[in-house]
Amino acid sequence: MSIINRKHGEEQPCWPLGPFRIRLPFIHYRWEYPEMIQGLIMFVVGLAMIPLLEKYLGMPYEAALAFTFVAGVGYILPALLGVPLVPGWITPAIPVVLLYLKGFEPGPEAIKALFALQIEVSLIFLILGMTRLGSKLVEVIPNSLKSGIIIGAGIAALMGELKTGGRVDITPISLLIGSIISAYILFSLSFKNVVNESSLAKRIANFGMVPGMIIAMIIGWVSGEYPLPDIEWGITQPDFGLMFQYLTFTVGFPGWDVFLLAIPTAIIAYVIAFGDIIVGFTLVKRVDHLREDEKIEANVDRVHTVTALRNFIHAFLAPWPGLAGPLWTAAHATVTERYAMGRKAMDSIYSGGATFWMTGLVALFILPLVTLFKPVLPIALSLTLILTAYICIMVGMEQLRNPTERGVAGIVAVTLAMPDPKSTVYAVVIGLVLYFLIERPKLLGKHRPEDELVFADPPEKSAE
């Protein structure tokens, strides 16, 4: 229960604060127990960043664990400040970020480089959010380019898992079975019919991708694909004192040359994150019409501002190879699917995402959970990437209105998915060129939207 209750058809109660909308659990929304259980398991995805921190920044496990706490604080900010998306990393940009970091020696040099990158990403989001250019970009950027970026990011995420030497290639049994079960629970039309008829199926559906992840982990242990855990009891002990030895306050700030080197990677990261914002609000829009009891504010500029704040915090307190992204696609899809079941299932879109990440932050200190999931961290990351790929492709295809847009988007997607650090830049340039050459009814001058109807799909014939 919450102290302040929402009236039917209105926005969730809040305390306005400048561009933000403050919402707190038990005051503005209720605590969601299914999301709490998911948070106790899904928090392990955040821990999957620790090996990258150890390898590329040269820090010990205890300091890296302290970095994950800073990240955990960042995850709760969007729901706290009025963003209806479940946040995460800019996941498809991770390979590009790691390629950038390979040019620097692990330790102080890599930390400075990552600081420069994260500050630039923060500034891009902040400028576009404060000037409200972020929301205008959603309207101005061609539909085919937006959809192509989304689809291409999904393909890139999937190919990274399926390639020779990828996690699916190394541990196929657990990951394939876990992916199939998770996808069936989240997206299957036949399972939705079962949910309508079975209370047990409805309970399973409440936990999203968690059942598939747990089954994948059990299979991984039984099949020998992953080692058995060495469970320890007590409370985790992130070393915050040691953490400060790996921050720019201690190692020093980068020179201007490093900031210049980081610019292309920062732009690529933003383009991918922009696609995530579109995916996030598209998923919200797909279920919003089913919930007439709540009006959801889709404020793109607020998403930009909050994401800028998170990247700024990371830059100074925990440089993060995954960067701070506006959306964890798989988790957000899970929340929106359960939100669509009605107010009895989930009070508000904000209560689901907030409960999920607040629980995840607490779970970081539960040593038995951390040590239980430590051997199977790759499963959590892989399932997230595979489900993200499916959702990106599904949403991207859904936005395309005619064959011309589909053709341009397909070229953009294939270009973006190429294993080249400059592929995102190429994809954007190619998408814009093809839009002007192929999609526009008039190459020069203004054209009316109705002129594009010539290229639209023909209306379906009546069943009569």
Side-chain angles (χ1 to χ4, degrees), residues 241-305:
L242 182 61
M243 178 187 81
F244 272 88
Q245 300 301 313
Y246 297 87
L247 301 179
T248 51
F249 302 111
T250 301
V251 303
F253 291 88
W256 289 110
D257 57 330
V258 179
F259 281 101
L260 291 174
L261 287 172
I263 290 175
T265 306
I267 294 173
I268 290 171
Y270 174 76
V271 171
I272 295 174
F274 179 79
D276 283 343
I277 294 173
I278 296 171
V279 170
F281 280 117
T282 301
L283 290 173
V284 170
K285 186 178 179 181
R286 293 176 76 226
V287 300
D288 190 26
H289 69 282
L290 301 174
R291 291 288 302 269
E292 296 180 356
D293 61 286
E294 180 178 13
K295 180 182 178 182
I296 301 175
E297 184 185 16
N299 191 316
V300 175
D301 298 313
R302 186 178 301 143
V303 177
H304 277 74
T305 306

Side-chain angles (χ1 to χ4, degrees), residues 337-371:
E337 286 295 319
R338 208 173 76 80
Y339 177 76
M341 296 179 184
R343 191 168 186 177
K344 288 185 178 180
M346 184 183 295
D347 178 33
S348 166
I349 192 72
Y350 301 98
S351 64
T355 301
F356 178 88
W357 270 127
M358 286 182 183
T359 304
L361 180 61
V362 174
L364 287 173
F365 292 95
I366 304 176
L367 186 58
L369 282 178
V370 172
T371 53

Side-chain angles (χ1 to χ4, degrees), residues 301-314:
D301 298 313
R302 186 178 301 143
V303 177
H304 277 74
T305 306
V306 174
T307 306
L309 175 62
R310 290 175 57 217
N311 277 287
F312 184 82
I313 292 172
H314 267 295

